[in-house]
């Protein structure tokens, strides 16, 4: 897998920087992001020895220095460091200036999907830089070689030569770069290169002798080899054998070459005789194969192959193919001395003496296990990303449909239809979990509802359904269709069942069960997309049922009572006086801001009493009439009133006195009141039902404003508007300042002002336009 990539993110907006760091690390576990709000401090960290970063992500507009100034300073420190501008301010002109100044990439902040793009760009640029560094290190090793080594591009022009090659042909290296190889050949020799040498090099490699014409016109005879890389570059290795002195030193050179081979530890480089037995063995071969030189010498090369390949005669076949074709490359599994398998890339080249007599084979082997694992991982990530993209498109389509649905049945049908219309799902069904541990199929898509009920009854685990329903999580159950023995044609294709809960806050309205043709588990992205679909559907169901509740001529009125002393609202009504609900303002899925009117008790006394209660995040006095009473605001989590509100009921009134809390709520006449009460009692055992009746309760809100508030404002904007209104922010004199209201919501004053301004603008536009 990809090694850790350290990213320095420079952005003066610390909240955004934290979000960006978390998002990038969630996109790719190889990324480790550190945030720095100060550009000058970032430059000190880049220039120091204590830390090493692989990539810099920077905002374009910063208070200390501009993005371009910061870029130039980074380039002074490291001119190859990938630098990416990630900014919400910009234009084509700005992008052009940044690119001209040498920025690696320029990405605008347009949405969460940009983090996927940014993470991919970071990984690509860093891996490219690391590959280039590896290439340069390879060049350094070549520079130390005494053989003349050069590299030519696909067009036959020199892109690199070491000093030994330049000395061999009598040119400066700069004179050779960009020149075609024909420069060094006599006219009568060039056609042989085209007809024999280059084709042989393309088929595994060519070895022989070449006469070069030096710059001064002298001729030099060389032992010469040609081979192509995977990238299509031609590698040339030449050794001068012109005079007798060089010939007398051939044995010495051979020994030197052997010592060089022995020093190579990343490759197994060894020789075989004509029968395939090992005659030389270097340190790299010992490291990769696990055999010592004493153990390997004299053994047949099949020692390194898997039993299956040996049985099929693969070692002998490769040697014969190399001898016939002049060389062969192969990739496959090999076996170490301890029995562990590794993925190897092998080059086999036949070796001949000056008379053309076959002497044996040269083998170069590289352990590619980690590289193959990385490639497989990248392929799996690409497949996972493609599946997640498909699921996200399904989610967007479902959201577009839900906007126009007017009933729970319409929403569930849209979800089932869309999930079976694309992807590996045979059919889907919407089910309700019954109190006796079973389930009822409400509707289905891709199969008739009665047939779907029959199939699910036989293949679905009750445990999976219970976990999905009670925990609100996506569950996957693998199915052994042969073990099920279901008498239905479609059963043979079922490999797994996916349970998707339809949730809104703490309420699960039901499940969508999906029959899948794949047995693989869901990736995190797919699971997240399905969870998003379930949340979107649950929100839609909550919205339509709330709308039905508001528009209904009659509602079911429930009065519930609790004496739980740990409930902070019960505690408000203890020790004399009464406490009555003014307003509930949702902050998030679990937290609510509760405004309470006190009568006959000092607000400050109640604040002091509530401070230790773990269910109270914060309590503030909004209005103080001393011992006569007043108004306080509590931020609470998981209490009876907030739980009832999160279940989709409308909390009508609340009164606490003498250690007893009574709450009146309105419920849609279509709601399953029995199930609602079971869930309430499970969460709050001390809670009991006092009364239940159906009443007519007229809607008192202006419809146009209500629709605007519910559909056009975000939850934070609506909460800010409600908290400001009920906290006395608009009264003169104000009962609470912006800082006071923001504190009750747990946000900063600037964030509160931003939400409030947008909310007011939206409502006023609806009223006056």
């Amino acid at each position: 897998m990809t090694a850790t990539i350290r990213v320095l993110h420079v952005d003066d907006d610390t909240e955004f920087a934290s979000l960006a760091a978390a998002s990038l690390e969630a996109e790719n576990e190889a990324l480790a992001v550190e945030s720095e709000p100060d550009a000058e401090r970032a430059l000190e960290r880049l220039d120091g020895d204590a830390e090493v970063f692989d990539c810099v992500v920077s905002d374009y507009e910063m208070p200390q220095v501009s993005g371009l100034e910061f870029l130039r300073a980074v380039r002074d420190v490291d001119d190859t460091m990938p630098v990416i501008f990630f900014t919400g301010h910009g234009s084509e002109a700005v992008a052009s200036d940044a690119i001209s100044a040498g920025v690696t990439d320029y990405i605008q902040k347009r949405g969460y999907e940009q983090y996927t793009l940014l993470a991919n760009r970071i990984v690509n640029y860093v891996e490219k830089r690391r590959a280039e560094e590896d290439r340069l290190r390879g060049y350094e090793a070549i520079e130390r070689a005494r053989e003349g080594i050069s590299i030519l591009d696909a067009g036959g022009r020199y892109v690199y030569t070491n000093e030994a090659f330049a000395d061999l042909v009598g040119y400066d290296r700069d004179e050779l770069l960009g020149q075609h190889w024909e420069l060094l050949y006599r006219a009568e020799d060039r056609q042989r290169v085209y007809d024999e040498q280059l084709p042989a090099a393309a088929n595994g490699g060519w070895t022989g002798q070449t006469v070069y014409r030096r710059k001064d016109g002298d001729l030099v005879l060389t032992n010469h080899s040609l081979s192509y890389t995977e990238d299509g570059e031609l590698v040339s290795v030449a050794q001068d054998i012109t005079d007798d002195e060089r010939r007398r030193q051939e044995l010495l050179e051979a020994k030197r070459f052997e010592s060089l081979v022995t020093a190579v530890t990343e490759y197994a480089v060894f020789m075989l005789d004509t029968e395939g037995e090992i005659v030389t063995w270097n340190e790299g071969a010992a490291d990769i194969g696990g055999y010592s030189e004493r153990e390997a010498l004299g053994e047949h090369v099949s020692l390194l192959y898997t039993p299956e390949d040996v049985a099929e005669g693969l070692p002998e076949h490769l040697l014969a193919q190399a001898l016939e074709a002049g060389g062969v490359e192969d990739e496959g599994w090999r076996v170490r001395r301890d029995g562990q398998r590794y993925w190897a890339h092998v080059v086999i080249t036949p070796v001949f003496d000056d008379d053309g007599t076959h002497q044996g084979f040269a083998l170069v082997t590289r352990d590619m296990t980690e590289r193959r694992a990385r490639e497989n991982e990248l392929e799996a990530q690409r497949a996972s990303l493609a599946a997640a993209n498909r699921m996200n498109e399904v989610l967007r389509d479902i959201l577009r449909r839900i906007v126009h649905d007017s009933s729970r049945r319409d929403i569930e049908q849209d979800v089932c239809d869309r999930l079976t219309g694309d992807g590996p799902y045979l059919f889907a069904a919407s089910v309700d979990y019954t109190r006796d541990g079973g389930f009822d199929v409400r509707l289905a898509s891709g199969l008739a509802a009665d047939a779907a009920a029959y199939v699910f009854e036989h293949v679905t685990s009750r445990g999976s359904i219970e976990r999905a329903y009670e925990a609100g999580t996506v569950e996957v159950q693998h199915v052994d269709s042969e073990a099920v023995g279901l008498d239905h044609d479609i059963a043979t294709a079922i490999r797994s069942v996916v349970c998707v809960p339809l949730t809104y806050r703490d309420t699960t309205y039901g499940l969508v069960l999906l029959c899948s043709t794949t047995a693989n588990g869901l990736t995190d992205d797919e699971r997240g997309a399905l969870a998003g679909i379930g949340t979107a559907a649950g929100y839609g169901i909550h919205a339509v049922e709330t709308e039905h509740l508001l528009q209904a001529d009659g509602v079911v009125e429930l009065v519930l009572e609790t004496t739980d002393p740990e409930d902070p609202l019960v505690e408000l009504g203890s020790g004399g006086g009464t406490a009555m609900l003014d307003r509930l303002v949702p902050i998030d899925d679990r937290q609510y801001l509760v405004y309470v009117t006190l009568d006959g008790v000092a607000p400050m006394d109640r604040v002091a009493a509530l401070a230790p209660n773990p269910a109270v995040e914060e309590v503030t006095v909004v209005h103080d009439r001393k011992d006569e009473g007043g108004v306080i605001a509590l931020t609470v989590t998981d209490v009876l009133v907030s739980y009832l509100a999160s279940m989709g009921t409308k909390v009508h009134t609340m009164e606490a006195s003498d250690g007893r809390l009574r709450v009146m709520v309105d419920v849609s006449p279509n709601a399953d009141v029995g199930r609602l009460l079971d869930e309430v009692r499970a969460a709050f055992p001390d809670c009991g039902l006092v009364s239940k009746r159906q009443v007519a309760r007229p809607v008192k809100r202006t419809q146009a404003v209500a629709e605007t508030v519910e559909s056009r404002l975000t939850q934070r904007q609506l909460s800010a508007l409600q908290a400001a209104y009920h906290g006395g922010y608009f009264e003169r004199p104000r009962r609470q300042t912006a800082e006071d209201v923001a504190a009750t919501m747990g946000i900063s004053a600037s964030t509160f002002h931003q939400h409030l301004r947008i909310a007011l603008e939206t409502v006023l536009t609806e009223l006056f336009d």
Side-chain angles (χ1 to χ4, degrees):
M1 60 188 296
T2 302
T4 300
I5 295 174
R6 296 195 66 210
V7 180
L8 181 61
H9 183 199
V10 185
D11 197 310
D12 59 298
D13 188 337
T14 55
E15 293 184 4
F16 171 77
S18 297
L19 171 63
S23 301
L24 288 173
E25 291 177 349
E27 285 292 334
N28 193 314
E29 64 182 4
L31 298 180
V33 183
E34 295 189 30
S35 302
E36 181 55 65
D38 187 301
E40 294 182 355
R41 172 60 184 155
L43 288 172
E44 292 176 359
R45 296 179 66 179
L46 289 170
D47 198 21
D49 296 329
E51 299 178 283
V52 177
F53 293 95
D54 300 297
C55 182
V56 174
V57 176
S58 172
D59 195 3
Y60 185 82
E61 295 187 359
M62 296 181 289
Q64 303 98 332
V65 296
S66 71
L68 292 180
E69 291 172 337
F70 177 71
L71 171 62
R72 295 187 185 101
V74 173
R75 286 286 175 253
D76 289 339
V77 174
D78 187 344
D79 58 355
T80 65
M81 171 76 71
V83 180
I84 301 173
F85 281 152
F86 186 49
T87 177
H89 305 283
S91 63
E92 291 185 1
V94 171
S96 177
D97 290 342
I99 292 172
S100 298
V103 75
T104 308
D105 209 336
Y106 183 93
I107 300 175
Q108 287 189 312
K109 306 171 185 174
R110 294 178 178 170
Y112 187 80
E113 63 274 8
Q114 292 300 93
Y115 292 113
T116 302
L117 174 62
L118 178 58
N120 289 338
R121 295 283 177 84
I122 291 172
V123 172
N124 289 340
Y125 291 134
V126 172
E127 288 188 344
K128 180 178 180 182
R129 185 193 190 202
R130 289 175 176 175
E132 185 61 24
E133 290 173 347
D134 289 343
R135 181 185 179 96
L136 291 176
R137 282 192 291 270
Y139 280 165
E140 291 174 1
I142 293 173
E143 280 295 325
R144 292 192 296 269
R146 293 177 59 183
E147 292 78 8
I149 301 175
S150 59
I151 300 175
L152 299 88
D153 63 20
R157 297 186 180 277
Y158 291 100
V159 296
Y160 170 81
T161 72
N162 67 354
E163 194 66 29
F165 184 83
D167 291 342
L168 177 67
V169 296
Y171 286 83
D172 289 336
R173 286 202 282 187
D174 291 341
E175 293 178 303
L176 287 172
L177 297 181
Q179 293 292 333
H180 197 273
W181 57 263
E182 291 182 353
L183 171 70
L184 304 179
Y185 284 74
R186 296 175 297 181
E188 60 268 28
D189 294 335
R190 294 171 186 165
Q191 195 59 42
R192 178 170 171 260
V193 176
Y194 284 113
D195 294 341
E196 299 177 12
Q197 297 179 13
L198 293 180
N203 289 323
W206 174 87
T207 301
Q209 293 184 346
T210 291
V211 175
Y212 280 127
R213 184 185 294 277
R214 291 170 49 88
K215 182 179 180 181
D216 58 12
D218 289 344
L219 299 180
V220 57
L221 177 64
T222 66
N223 276 338
H224 192 194
S225 66
L226 297 172
S227 61
Y228 281 95
T229 68
E230 293 180 355
D231 297 327
E233 293 180 328
L234 182 64
V235 179
S236 167
V237 180
Q239 185 180 37
D240 185 1
I241 57 171
T242 305
D243 51 51
D244 293 340
E245 180 64 22
R246 183 59 60 108
R247 290 184 182 277
R248 288 195 297 270
Q249 293 182 3
E250 282 183 355
L251 179 59
L252 179 62
E253 293 294 338
K255 292 182 177 179
R256 187 182 66 81
F257 178 75
E258 181 179 348
S259 67
L260 288 173
V261 169
T262 303
V264 175
T265 58
E266 293 184 0
Y267 293 83
V269 183
F270 56 97
M271 300 289 296
L272 308 178
D273 63 17
T274 56
E275 300 301 320
E277 293 184 356
I278 300 170
V279 295
T280 68
W281 191 250
N282 78 329
E283 184 179 344
D287 290 341
I288 294 175
Y291 294 94
S292 67
E293 184 178 17
R294 180 178 57 82
E295 292 171 322
L297 294 181
E299 296 291 336
H300 193 269
V301 71
S302 58
L303 175 76
L304 306 175
Y305 285 75
T306 67
E308 301 88 352
D309 288 343
V310 172
E312 294 180 2
L314 180 61
E316 293 80 4
H317 171 73
L318 290 176
L319 294 179
Q321 186 179 359
L323 185 59
E324 179 181 355
V328 68
E329 289 190 44
D330 178 57
E331 282 197 7
W333 291 111
R334 300 293 187 268
V335 182
R336 306 186 203 278
R337 185 179 185 279
D338 60 5
Q340 183 181 3
R341 297 192 176 198
Y342 63 98
W343 189 261
H345 176 264
V346 180
V347 178
I348 305 176
T349 305
V351 178
F352 302 90
D353 63 15
D354 293 342
D355 298 329
T357 302
H358 180 217
Q359 298 296 310
F361 301 89
L363 274 76
V364 179
T365 301
R366 186 178 185 184
D367 184 351
M368 304 290 286
T369 309
E370 291 187 5
R371 175 176 172 179
R372 186 170 187 264
R374 289 196 300 269
E375 291 173 349
N376 291 341
E377 182 181 359
L378 288 174
E379 183 60 33
Q381 289 176 352
R382 283 192 290 268
S384 173
L385 181 59
N389 288 338
R390 288 196 299 272
M391 291 303 299
N392 286 328
E393 180 57 35
V394 171
L395 172 58
R396 287 190 289 271
D397 190 32
I398 287 175
L399 289 173
R400 287 192 290 268
R401 298 184 184 196
I402 287 176
V403 170
H404 303 288
D405 289 335
S406 58
S407 69
R408 172 180 175 177
R409 184 177 185 83
D410 290 343
I411 292 172
E412 292 173 340
Q413 190 69 62
D414 278 342
V415 171
C416 291
D417 289 347
R418 188 63 182 85
L419 286 173
T420 55
D422 181 27
Y425 300 115
L426 292 170
F427 60 92
S430 174
V431 305
D432 280 332
Y433 187 56
T434 61
R435 301 178 199 174
D436 59 0
F439 61 84
D440 293 327
V441 174
R442 290 169 48 82
L443 53 88
S445 180
L447 199 66
D450 56 347
Y454 173 74
V455 173
F456 281 123
E457 183 69 29
H458 288 79
V459 304
T460 308
S461 161
R462 293 295 181 274
S464 297
I465 291 179
E466 290 176 358
R467 287 192 299 273
Y469 193 88
E470 294 174 1
T473 57
V474 176
E475 297 291 330
V476 180
Q477 172 202 341
H478 299 293
V479 176
D480 184 352
S481 57
E482 295 181 0
V484 170
L486 186 63
D487 185 19
H488 198 285
D489 292 340
I490 204 170
T492 58
I494 300 174
R495 294 293 178 269
S496 62
V497 175
V498 183
C499 306
V500 182
L502 309 181
T503 60
Y504 176 73
R505 294 183 177 170
D506 294 330
T507 303
T508 300
Y509 287 99
L511 303 173
V512 167
L513 302 184
L514 306 168
C515 270
S516 175
T517 59
T518 64
N520 297 330
L522 296 174
T523 67
D524 291 342
D525 290 334
E526 291 173 305
R527 188 181 295 272
L530 286 173
I533 290 171
T535 301
Y539 180 86
I541 293 171
H542 171 79
V544 297
E545 292 199 350
T546 300
E547 183 178 358
H548 293 163
L549 173 63
L550 293 173
Q551 295 177 352
D553 294 333
V555 297
V556 176
E557 179 188 88
L558 303 178
V559 178
L560 299 100
E561 184 177 273
T562 181
T563 57
D564 182 3
E566 296 182 1
D567 191 310
L569 300 179
V570 173
E571 191 174 357
L572 280 176
S574 302
T578 60
M580 292 172 290
L581 176 69
D582 269 355
R583 179 68 63 172
L584 272 176
V585 179
I587 295 176
D588 56 30
D589 289 350
R590 298 180 59 199
Q591 279 194 336
Y592 276 75
L593 182 59
V594 186
Y595 288 93
V596 178
T597 296
L598 300 176
D599 188 22
V601 61
M604 291 303 300
D605 293 344
R606 295 293 85 200
V607 167
L610 290 176
N613 195 304
V616 178
E617 298 289 333
E618 190 171 355
V619 58
T620 306
V621 176
V622 178
H623 183 56
D624 191 353
R625 294 187 286 114
K626 305 302 181 184
D627 293 339
E628 296 180 7
V631 178
I632 63 174
L634 303 87
T635 303
V636 296
T637 305
D638 295 337
V639 299
L640 177 61
V641 173
S642 64
Y643 185 82
L644 289 169
S646 69
M647 293 282 285
T649 70
K650 178 177 175 54
V651 179
H652 200 55
T653 62
M654 179 210 81
E655 183 173 341
S657 62
D658 298 327
R660 189 179 304 274
L661 173 68
R662 282 198 173 188
V663 184
M664 180 187 296
V665 299
D666 292 344
V667 181
S668 169
N670 300 323
D672 187 343
V673 176
R675 176 178 291 174
L676 172 77
L677 292 175
D678 286 345
E679 293 180 358
V680 172
R681 292 190 188 102
F684 301 92
D686 291 339
C687 181
L689 178 67
V690 176
S691 66
K692 168 188 171 185
R693 62 173 182 157
Q694 189 153 350
V695 298
R697 198 173 315 278
V699 178
K700 299 180 181 180
R701 301 191 296 174
T702 302
Q703 190 64 26
V705 175
E707 291 178 355
T708 297
V709 171
E710 291 181 356
S711 66
R712 295 179 57 188
L713 297 182
T714 66
Q715 185 61 60
R716 279 292 193 182
Q717 293 163 1
L718 178 59
S719 297
L721 186 61
Q722 292 176 328
Y725 178 77
H726 297 291
Y729 176 75
F730 297 112
E731 297 179 10
R732 291 294 181 270
R734 288 175 174 165
R735 282 190 286 149
Q736 283 190 309
T737 65
E739 288 74 14
D740 295 334
V741 179
T744 62
M745 295 181 65
I747 59 177
S748 66
S750 61
T751 302
F752 164 73
H753 277 300
Q754 181 181 5
H755 291 326
L756 182 62
R757 179 185 58 77
I758 295 173
L760 289 173
E761 181 181 1
T762 303
V763 174
L764 293 175
T765 299
E766 180 67 18
L767 290 174
F768 296 121
D769 281 358

